[in-house]
Structure formats: C-alpha cells, structure tokens
Amino acid sequence: MNIDFLLSDFGELTITGLTQGAIYALIALGYTLVYGVLRLINFAHSEVFMIGTFASLGVWTAAGFGLNSGDPGTLAVLGLLGLAIVAAMLASGATAAVLEMVAYRPLRRRNAPNLVFLITAIGASVVIAEAAGVLTGRRPSGLPTLVRPVEVLNIGGASITNLQLGILACALAMMVALDLFINRTRMGRGVRAVAQDPQTSALMGVDKDRVILLIFVLGGMMAGVAAVLYNIKIGSTTYNVGFLLGIKAFAAAVLGGIGNLRGALLGGLLIGLVENYGAGLFGNEWMNAVAFVALVGVLLFRPTGLLGESLRGARA
C-alpha cells in the first residue's frame, strides 16, 4: 500500500480519474436509457461503442490522416474531430437502431420473458464483437495522434492538459444536452411517459416503438462520442475494446442509480476516481478490482444506487 504516492499525486490521479470517468459516463447513458424504459440490460451496448471507435478510425483514414501524418493544425484538428464525432455517432446510433429492430422488437411483440431478452443481448454482443474480430484479424489498430497533450493549467502541482480539459468539456456538454432533451422537449416527454406507464402512454397517442427506437439511437450516439474521446485519449482500438469499458460503464450506471441520467454521470465520474485512487494506493494491477469492490460496498448501503431515481419516477 503506497499512501505516500497517493497523497503526493492526488491531484494528478483526480484529473486522470475524472477524464476516464467522463468516458464511462457517456457509455453508461446508453445502459441507463434502455433500462429506464424497458428494464432491459443491453449488454450489446459495449459493441455499439466499439463500432464507434472503428468509425472514427475509418473517417480519419479516408481523410488521409494516418499514423505517419504529422501534427495537424488547429483547424485540421477541429475538422477531423468533428468528422470523427459525426461518423461515430451515426455508426453507433445506426448499430443500436438495427439491434433494437432486429433483436429486441420481435421479442417484445411475442411477449418473451426477460431471460430471453438477456440471452439475446449477450448473444448479440458476442456476434458483433466476433464479426469485428474476423474483419480486423483480431489485431489492434493504432490511431494517429490528433491532439498532443500540452499542460494548460497547474493547480496545486497537478498538471491539467488540453486533452483532459477537452474530453471533460465535450463529455459534460453531451450529457447536459441529453438531459435537456429528455426533460425539456416533447420527444423527451414521450420517453418519460413510456418509462412511467407504457399502456397509458399508448392510449394517449404515444408511439411506444418509436420512443424505444429513439432511446436506442440516443444511447448509441452518446457511445459514439465516447468512442472518439477514447480514441484520442488511448490511441488504439480493437474488436473487444468495449468489453471491460462496457462492464465499468454498466457498473457506473448501477452505482449512480440505473435509469437515472444524472446518476450515470455521477457513477461514471466516481468509478473513474476510485479506480485511479486504487491504482495509486495498491498498484495498477488492482485498478479494476478496487473499482468493483467499491461498487459492491456502496450498493450494500444504497441498493438502488446513489441517486436512486429512474426515468419512471420522473414527471411526464
């Protein structure tokens, strides 16, 4: 146990944890949206994220930005980043939509039991990951450095880079936009109505299938943004990149209160912080274990998560 390292690098571990946690939170939104409306754990959401990482890689390759490219200028960075986000949101959103229409909608129409949905979600996850593995030869794909980290702030000895600030700002902006969409728009009101009472909302003229498709697409688009942020932070992707991140993002959704959009944000940031503090205290090999031990510890006292509220409890 290295308490001295934890205390001396507390600031660095905090900003690194918040940055990673912001990515978890964006992915967690997909889990929490679907669960809030359908009470379904969409395990294939991690592969929706993976598709986004390859979509951004593809659009950069098509634009001639590869591993041997030099550092792009500011305008080129903004252009490439914008292209990658649009491509990843479209690819991940479309994957999520196809998943809903092909895998889940037929089961809903047959009133399949929850266990069948769960098995289908796991099966879809495996099929998408394996298909990507075959197409890529199961080899990791390196990505060019779009944003070279440069220190822009130093708070109490903790260095904060432009990349970390950019990831945090982008993730928070997307989460605020989604929260406003769900809580302030007519379509968002439809989502909350279906989450509260599907039968009554149908009698009131709300198209349930359309709302469910919408939440899959929204969750997929958030995962697409997370994929681009992950790519510029890590610099590589592979066919099973979503496995561990998906588990942590799902844990973040549960920790915050699954079905609660703001809970996904809180849970994601906390998971990122706890795993970084754990790595600082016990070593990197304990990073993942510490995060899940902390999750179990919190759920023992707050079984419904820290915020506990779901879309079903919100006013339509």
Side-chain angles (χ1 to χ4, degrees):
M1 186 180 296
N2 195 341
I3 296 177
D4 290 339
F5 178 77
L6 174 65
L7 296 177
S8 63
D9 288 68
F10 188 79
E12 296 278 358
L13 292 170
T14 299
I15 186 64
T16 306
L18 289 175
T19 307
Q20 187 64 26
I23 296 174
Y24 294 153
L26 277 178
I27 304 172
L29 290 171
Y31 288 106
T32 213
L33 274 170
V34 171
Y35 186 86
V37 173
L38 289 177
R39 295 296 187 193
L40 165 67
I41 301 171
N42 179 23
F43 282 111
H45 187 62
S46 54
E47 277 55 59
V48 170
F49 164 82
M50 177 269 292
I51 293 293
T53 64
F54 280 103
S56 61
L57 170 61
V59 78
W60 286 342
T61 303
F65 183 56
L67 287 173
N68 297 322
S69 302
D71 290 349
T74 303
L75 287 178
V77 168
L78 293 176
L80 289 166
L81 190 58
L83 279 175
I85 288 177
V86 170
M89 289 177 78
L90 289 174
S92 293
T95 302
V98 170
L99 193 62
E100 199 287 315
M101 290 188 289
V102 173
Y104 300 132
R105 185 175 295 185
L107 296 178
R108 285 204 314 278
R109 290 181 174 170
R110 290 169 173 79
N111 292 319
N114 291 338
L115 184 59
V116 175
F117 281 92
L118 183 63
I119 296 299
T120 300
I122 295 172
S125 173
V126 172
V127 167
I128 297 172
E130 288 299 305
V134 171
L135 291 174
T136 61
R138 303 185 188 279
R139 292 185 295 272
S141 300
L143 290 107
T145 302
L146 182 63
V147 180
R148 199 166 293 282
V150 176
E151 180 181 295
V152 292
L153 284 174
N154 193 303
I155 302 176
S159 175
I160 303 174
T161 69
N162 54 346
L163 180 59
Q164 291 169 325
L165 281 181
I167 289 174
L168 281 171
C170 182
L172 289 174
M174 294 305 299
M175 285 182 272
V176 169
L178 180 63
D179 189 76
L180 291 174
F181 178 84
I182 294 295
N183 290 295
R184 301 287 178 84
T185 68
R186 183 174 181 178
M187 295 177 76
R189 193 180 305 124
V191 171
R192 286 180 285 135
V194 173
Q196 286 183 8
D197 191 334
Q199 306 304 325
T200 302
S201 62
L203 293 174
M204 298 295 289
V206 178
D207 188 334
K208 181 181 172 182
D209 284 341
R210 187 177 174 185
V211 166
I212 292 172
L213 181 61
L214 174 65
I215 60 169
F216 270 86
V217 171
L218 286 174
M221 292 171 72
M222 294 297 113
V225 177
V228 176
L229 299 182
Y230 176 85
N231 278 351
I232 62 175
K233 180 175 183 289
I234 303 299
S236 70
T237 185
T238 185
Y239 72 100
N240 60 358
V241 67
F243 178 71
L244 186 56
L245 268 78
I247 292 176
K248 289 184 178 179
F250 177 65
V254 173
L255 178 62
I258 192 162
N260 187 316
L261 296 180
R262 295 170 189 176
L265 169 62
L266 177 62
L269 295 178
L270 286 178
I271 289 283
L273 285 173
V274 168
E275 70 174 15
N276 265 270
Y277 294 151
L281 192 59
F282 301 109
N284 287 332
E285 64 272 22
W286 289 99
M287 173 185 283
N288 299 325
V290 168
F292 286 99
V293 168
L295 170 68
V296 172
V298 171
L299 292 180
L300 284 175
F301 297 96
R302 296 278 301 178
T304 58
L306 292 172
L307 299 187
E309 184 185 356
S310 73
L311 286 171
R312 293 180 181 230
R315 291 183 59 189

